[in-house]
Amino acid sequence: MFSPRVLKSASSLMCRGFSTGQMCRQGKAPDMAEVRNRLREIVGASTNWKDHQQALAERASLSQYLAQSQDELPAKTMKDSAIEAHLPLGTQPALREKYLNYHNSVRFGRILEDLDSLAVLICYSHTWNKELKRSPLSIVTALVDKIDMRKNIIYPDCDIKFTGHVTWVGKTSIEAKMHMSQYHDGAYTDVLDATFVMVARDPQNKRAAFINPLKLEGPEEEAIFQQGEINKTRRVELSTASLLKVAPTAEERTLVHNLFLNTLDTRTVSFRSRILSPNSVWMEDAKMKGLEICHPQERNIFNRIFGGFLMRKAYELGWANACAFGGCRPTLVAVDDILFRKPVEIGSLLLLSSQVCYTEGMHIQVRVHTEVLDPLTQQHSTTNVFHFTFRVEKDIPAVIPQSYGESMLYLDGKRHFDETMRSQG
């Protein structure tokens, strides 16, 4: 849910407090390159990898500017964080190559990178202190709550517009909503809505830091804020009911048992003997894996791997898995519940594992799990879990679990799919 009044004010307010960064070109909305340049200026990030240790040491001195309580900070309005940014694919042809895929459409993984950068800048806009040259806060992505697609086609040669603002604030966390539209046939049309949750940390990204409270102006903004409270409550409830913490419901246990019974070999009637039913695939055969060596090129402003890069790689692997499973090109329906468990350091070996975990009709639910491997200790640490819902233009095989662990993945996938369908229905 967006406030039209707030977003309408974005063009006039997007440069507030940012004139030193030359973010606005003659009153025009910034492009994504300017968004990233402004983020580097806000935290004093080094543009050369060899200087990153010095930049980190300089940021440590900013701790003296952190508030000791939220009460010390002035309240900000939604208009204070309202931003409009452009991706000029139509007016800057040289930019298209970076975003183009071989289907002559836009690489959605690149859009995820842009959304992540914009969400961070929105939150810095909310917390900006014009008396300081650098922000003492390290604002990082905690999770992507939801991305709902409004349109399947993104044209590679038409300008894109992003708008967004802060919609909810806790003591150390912020919810930012963004809207993406594209100029085509003489008008901007809706493409997607995205909700990101960010957290504020100290300059060294070691502990939580307080952020400015949100001042609500009118019933419309109060309704937006209340939706943020509802989103927070929903996330807590989903976490509490996680299959990693509590047993499946009675209905879910019945579903899993029926899947087992339907794959029993009627000739042997053995627990060990399983036979696939027609038009179905074992979950074990619906996987795809990848590996990334994390180079400095993909670092964020805090010299860790950029969250948008992780999202892009996970999405592309999930898309490829859905494509191979469905036998045709899938389209994205929704991105749901991307959780950032821990940062990924430069030089890490990043292992990505994609699993088709649930199917229904023409829909494919894909889960991508990422972890880092320390080659010296051989220790694996989970960094992210991604959930993507895709759609193809034909009915697809059912995916069938064999083990208990696969059954839990199946139920988790079904939960995410059902939630996506409810939110879009």
Side-chain angles (χ1 to χ4, degrees):
M1 182 178 182
F2 291 86
S3 168
R5 177 176 58 80
V6 171
L7 294 182
K8 187 176 181 181
S9 305
S11 296
S12 60
L13 292 165
M14 62 192 170
C15 300
R16 178 178 290 178
F18 296 138
S19 58
T20 57
Q22 302 298 314
M23 187 171 170
C24 298
R25 301 159 297 162
Q26 300 176 347
K28 295 181 180 179
D31 60 28
M32 294 311 301
E34 291 168 317
V35 165
R36 293 187 175 94
N37 286 338
R38 178 55 193 159
L39 286 173
R40 282 190 285 268
E41 291 179 4
I42 286 172
V43 302
S46 169
T47 55
N48 296 315
W49 171 244
K50 65 179 181 179
D51 300 327
H52 75 282
Q53 292 292 352
Q54 178 182 345
L56 288 175
E58 291 174 353
R59 275 196 60 74
S61 65
L62 296 174
S63 293
Q64 61 183 308
Y65 301 113
L66 290 174
Q68 299 304 304
S69 72
Q70 192 176 45
D71 295 336
E72 297 178 16
L73 297 168
K76 298 291 188 73
T77 67
M78 290 186 183
K79 291 194 295 291
D80 289 326
S81 61
I83 287 180
E84 177 180 315
H86 285 197
L87 184 59
L89 298 179
T91 51
Q92 293 186 19
L95 186 63
R96 296 175 196 163
E97 192 77 11
K98 177 181 177 182
Y99 287 82
L100 186 67
N101 66 27
Y102 77 100
H103 295 295
N104 198 35
S105 181
V106 169
R107 295 173 61 183
F108 189 74
R110 293 292 189 193
I111 299 299
L112 289 174
E113 291 181 325
D114 291 341
L115 288 170
D116 193 50
S117 294
L118 188 63
V120 175
L121 184 58
I122 287 171
C123 295
Y124 272 121
S125 303
H126 175 80
T127 60
W128 181 248
N129 182 349
K130 62 183 180 181
E131 296 181 2
L132 298 179
K133 185 178 179 181
R134 301 278 186 261
S135 173
L137 298 176
S138 299
I139 295 179
V140 296
T141 307
L143 66 92
V144 178
D145 186 68
K146 197 75 172 176
I147 299 177
D148 287 317
M149 303 301 298
R150 308 301 179 194
K151 186 178 179 182
N152 290 329
I153 299 174
I154 306 178
Y155 301 98
D157 55 356
C158 297
D159 284 1
I160 287 173
K161 178 171 68 176
F162 299 94
T163 54
H165 60 84
V166 167
T167 51
W168 175 88
V169 168
K171 289 188 176 181
T172 62
S173 57
I174 318 175
E175 179 189 89
K177 284 186 178 290
M178 293 163 287
H179 177 73
M180 174 179 150
S181 57
Q182 187 166 39
Y183 191 81
H184 184 67
D185 287 339
Y188 277 98
T189 56
D190 298 340
V191 177
L192 64 81
D193 294 319
T195 304
F196 281 52
V197 177
M198 324 298 285
V199 291
R201 314 276 290 174
D202 70 0
Q204 296 175 289
N205 198 13
K206 291 183 177 179
R207 59 182 177 86
F210 293 107
I211 55 174
N212 303 70
L214 186 62
K215 179 182 178 182
L216 304 178
E217 298 181 322
E220 186 179 5
E221 292 189 6
E222 290 175 3
I224 293 173
F225 184 86
Q226 185 58 39
Q227 183 59 50
E229 291 282 0
I230 293 171
N231 292 341
K232 178 185 177 182
T233 301
R234 173 178 51 82
R235 289 192 293 267
V236 171
E237 290 174 349
L238 290 174
S239 176
T240 303
S242 169
L243 291 165
L244 292 172
K245 297 178 180 178
V246 297
T249 64
E251 181 181 353
E252 288 174 332
R253 292 195 297 270
T254 300
L255 173 61
V256 168
H257 191 64
N258 287 337
L259 287 171
F260 170 73
L261 293 178
N262 291 338
T263 57
L264 278 180
D265 186 345
T266 56
R267 294 172 300 175
T268 62
V269 195
S270 167
F271 284 107
R272 294 175 176 271
S273 183
R274 307 278 295 278
I275 294 179
L276 267 177
S277 53
N279 196 33
S280 58
V281 176
W282 294 124
M283 282 185 69
E284 178 63 29
D285 299 323
K287 293 181 177 180
M288 194 170 285
K289 295 190 176 184
L291 166 69
E292 290 292 330
I293 301 174
C294 298
H295 297 291
Q297 179 186 8
E298 308 301 342
R299 71 188 185 277
N300 63 14
I301 53 178
F302 306 115
N303 290 302
R304 290 185 168 95
I305 293 299
F306 174 42
F309 171 79
L310 299 174
M311 285 193 281
R312 172 163 65 88
K313 288 300 179 179
Y315 167 78
E316 291 176 351
L317 181 65
W319 183 94
N321 197 8
C323 183
F325 183 85
C328 59
R329 181 188 176 193
T331 56
L332 181 68
V333 175
V335 180
D336 176 36
D337 194 24
I338 297 177
L339 183 62
F340 288 77
R341 296 181 183 273
K342 62 178 295 185
V344 178
E345 304 291 342
I346 305 297
S348 298
L349 297 181
L350 183 70
L351 308 177
L352 301 97
S353 179
S354 173
Q355 172 74 70
V356 175
C357 52
Y358 182 75
T359 60
E360 185 173 313
M362 297 181 179
H363 290 90
I364 305 172
Q365 188 70 34
V366 179
R367 178 183 188 268
V368 179
H369 175 267
T370 61
E371 59 184 1
V372 290
L373 167 64
D374 185 328
L376 301 180
T377 64
Q378 295 297 302
Q379 294 249 328
H380 292 251
S381 300
T382 295
T383 59
N384 300 87
V385 180
F386 304 82
H387 300 274
F388 303 104
T389 306
F390 295 98
R391 188 181 189 278
V392 294
E393 295 304 317
K394 63 178 183 179
D395 285 335
I396 49 175
V399 65
I400 307 296
Q402 284 182 286
S403 67
Y404 186 82
E406 286 183 344
S407 296
M408 296 304 99
L409 286 176
Y410 180 91
L411 294 178
D412 187 54
K414 186 178 188 305
R415 287 182 178 185
H416 281 92
F417 175 77
D418 291 343
E419 180 64 28
T420 291
M421 293 299 103
R422 276 194 295 269
S423 66
Q424 297 203 341

